[in-house]
Amino acid sequence: QVQLVESGGGLVQPGGSLRLSCAASISIDSIDAMNWYRQAPGLQRELVASDTSRGSTYYLGSVKGRFTISRDNAKNTGYLQMNNLQPEDTTVYYCNVEAGYYGGRYYLPSWGQGTQVTVSS
């Protein structure tokens, strides 16, 4: 697996902002898609945003206009900027790299350790 280390979660008030980071152990130039999911206990994962190497992006409808996904290839890091956070955004967020061949090596699906985002007044 690609090693993914997440950071940036925390406690914010409604309307506040956080930027989540996902640092990868390999060059992300060849990774087709980096994804962000969120998952509450007992529920299935929910795709929040996706950023492909072709430049296409996807956003969950409820976060469009508030969240922005990006990459910094030089730092091998993906980001999820979250603005105007609301209580319903509260949960654990995970970054993800899908299975595939990167740099001539095969990697299983890879997940970050998760970072807690709590939005509360």
Side-chain angles (χ1 to χ4, degrees):
Q1 293 181 315
V2 181
Q3 300 301 306
L4 303 173
V5 179
E6 297 181 48
S7 61
L11 173 65
V12 297
Q13 295 183 348
S17 298
L18 289 171
R19 189 173 79 161
L20 306 184
S21 298
C22 179
S25 61
I26 64 171
S27 172
I28 64 173
D29 289 350
S30 64
I31 296 176
D32 181 62
M34 295 189 72
N35 311 304
W36 289 91
Y37 288 83
R38 61 189 183 189
Q39 184 173 24
L43 300 179
Q44 70 272 17
R45 70 181 186 180
E46 180 180 47
L47 180 62
V48 177
S50 181
D51 180 17
T52 75
S53 61
R54 308 179 205 93
S56 63
T57 58
Y58 165 84
Y59 294 97
L60 183 66
S62 61
V63 309
K64 287 181 179 178
R66 299 191 296 122
F67 291 11
T68 303
I69 191 170
S70 63
R71 298 185 188 187
D72 186 336
N73 289 337
K75 296 182 178 180
N76 293 327
T77 300
Y79 301 96
L80 184 67
Q81 177 68 44
M82 305 186 296
N83 297 325
N84 192 24
L85 285 162
Q86 301 299 311
E88 54 264 36
D89 298 315
T90 296
T91 190
V92 179
Y93 287 72
Y94 299 88
C95 64
N96 161 258
V97 173
E98 297 177 8
Y101 288 90
Y102 308 122
R105 293 167 291 181
Y106 181 79
Y107 293 89
L108 294 171
S110 304
W111 294 88
Q113 80 279 9
T115 185
Q116 176 72 48
V117 172
T118 302
V119 185
S120 179
S121 60

